[in-house]
Amino acid sequence: MRRRAVLAGLAGTVAMPRLALARCEGLPVGQRVQNADRDPVGLDLDEVVERGWIEFAAYDRLPPYSWEEDGEAKGIDIGIGRIVAEALGVEPRFRFVASGENLEADLRFNVWQGLPMGAGENVVANMMLHVPYDTEFACRVEQAVFTGQAYRERVAIAYREEAYPDTAPTPAFFRFDMVAVQNDTISDFYLASFPGGQINANIRRYPTMAEAMAALRAGEVNAAMGPRAQLEWGAGEGVKVHAPPLPGLAIVDWTVGLALHMSHRDLGYAADDAIAAALADGRIAALFEEHGLTFEAPER
C-alpha cells in the first residue's frame, strides 16, 4: 500500500523548530471540494446502535494490520474495530478496500462522499481504520474527523543477522548493500533522497512490504526498510528489526487511529472512549502481543 501523502510529502525534509500555535492557527483553509454533498452522510451514534451493527472500512491485504483469510477478518486494526463495536453493543462488520492515490482520496471514497458514480456501491462506511493522524492534515481536511488514536508506528530497518553480525545497519550502509522497500513509500523517498543519490543504485522496490520482506528472507537483499510492524510480521529466522535514528527524516513515527464523517462526532467520541479504555486496561497492547509485534502507546 502506498504510504499516505500526509507522511510521504515530508519524507525527504528536515524537521525545523516551530513556534507554538493553537491548533489550525496560521494554516490556510483547505480548498472547498466541488460538488460535495452538503447533506449529512452515514449514520449517527443512535442510528448505529439502533441498527445493531457498525461497518469499518479496512485496507485489504495489509498484514499485520488488516486482511481477510478464509472469509474471516484478521489483524491489529480489525481487533481495534471489534473493541469499538463491543463498547457500542453492536456487531462489527468490515469492508475491505484498496488504497487510493493518497489519504484524501481514501477518506473521500470511504468516509464522506463515497465512490464516483458508476464505480460501484456509493455508500460510505461508518468509520475508517488505520488512519495516520497529523494535525495540519486534520485541519486541512474538514470533511472528516480524526479520532481514536490507538498506537504509534515508526520507520525501522529489518536485516539479516549473518550479513551484519557485529553492527545493525543504518541507511549509510546501503551505499554498498542492497535494501528492499515498498514502492512509493516514506522509506523509498527517504533513501532515494539520501545526499548525492548514493543509495539509489542499491534500492530494490517491491509492490508490497510483504514482497520486500520475502526478498529479505530469501537472501536477495540484506535489509529492508518500512513500518516496524510490517517488518516484524515478515521477519523469519535469522532476521532482526531495529529502529535507528534517521537524520533528516521529518516524520519518523506517527499515531494511527480512526476517521469518520464530520457530521457524526458523537460516534467519534464514543469510539475514542472505547479505545482509551482499551489502552488503559491493556487490550490494545495485548493485540500486538498476540501478533508478536512491538506495541508503542500513542500520544493522545
Side-chain angles (χ1 to χ4, degrees):
M1 182 186 72
R2 298 173 181 170
R3 191 55 265 155
R4 308 277 148 248
V6 62
L7 304 175
L10 297 176
T13 64
V14 178
M16 301 294 291
R18 299 180 61 182
L19 297 175
L21 299 174
R23 185 175 182 274
C24 298
E25 184 177 349
L27 295 175
V29 177
Q31 182 178 0
R32 297 286 179 178
V33 179
Q34 288 185 325
N35 302 322
D37 193 342
R38 294 187 299 271
D39 297 326
V41 175
L43 304 176
D44 61 25
L45 174 60
D46 290 340
E47 291 170 325
V48 168
V49 171
E50 182 179 357
R51 183 180 63 179
W53 54 273
I54 183 171
E55 183 180 58
F56 298 93
Y59 286 112
D60 191 18
R61 293 174 290 182
L62 189 65
Y65 310 112
S66 55
W67 76 98
E68 192 171 17
E69 185 176 324
D70 297 328
E72 180 182 357
K74 295 187 175 183
I76 296 292
D77 294 327
I78 299 302
I80 290 171
R82 289 179 174 134
I83 285 172
V84 171
E86 181 180 7
L88 299 180
V90 298
E91 171 197 349
R93 297 185 183 180
F94 301 95
R95 179 196 302 179
F96 285 94
V97 300
S99 173
E101 182 179 358
N102 53 37
L103 180 57
E104 291 183 70
D106 291 346
L107 294 172
R108 181 169 71 253
F109 295 153
N110 297 295
V111 169
W112 61 266
Q113 189 177 60
L115 293 170
M117 291 182 63
E121 187 180 10
N122 189 31
V123 179
V124 300
N126 300 115
M127 290 185 188
M128 187 161 191
L129 300 166
H130 200 74
V131 177
Y133 180 80
D134 176 83
T135 297
E136 292 189 13
F137 182 80
C139 291
R140 191 169 73 247
V141 181
E142 302 171 326
Q143 299 87 359
V145 172
F146 302 86
T147 186
Q149 297 167 26
Y151 59 91
R152 290 194 75 76
E153 185 58 277
R154 65 178 55 249
V155 179
I157 294 174
Y159 62 96
R160 295 175 61 83
E161 290 183 83
E162 63 181 16
Y164 304 99
D166 301 318
T167 305
T170 62
F173 283 61
F174 307 141
R175 293 175 296 170
F176 312 102
D177 299 335
M178 288 191 293
V179 57
V181 298
Q182 182 178 351
N183 192 39
D184 287 344
T185 60
I186 188 170
S187 299
D188 183 5
F189 299 145
Y190 175 68
L191 293 178
S193 66
F194 205 77
Q198 300 174 65
I199 297 177
N200 277 334
N202 289 329
I203 300 175
R204 296 295 178 266
R205 297 174 173 89
Y206 295 86
T208 67
M209 201 67 236
E211 291 172 86
M213 289 303 292
L216 176 61
R217 293 194 304 271
E220 298 173 14
V221 294
N222 287 328
M225 188 171 176
R228 180 172 59 187
Q230 289 184 285
L231 301 184
E232 291 179 338
W233 179 259
E237 185 177 355
V239 175
K240 284 191 172 182
V241 177
H242 78 129
L246 299 171
L249 181 59
I251 298 180
V252 178
D253 56 84
W254 56 93
T255 302
V256 180
L258 309 169
L260 66 156
H261 193 275
M262 63 171 295
S263 300
H264 307 308
R265 293 177 183 272
D266 55 349
L267 183 58
Y269 295 146
D272 192 62
D273 287 345
I275 288 174
L279 284 168
D281 64 20
R283 279 177 289 159
I284 290 180
L287 283 174
F288 280 78
E289 183 178 359
E290 176 186 339
H291 289 81
L293 307 174
T294 300
F295 170 69
E296 187 172 350
E299 294 179 7
R300 290 174 55 88

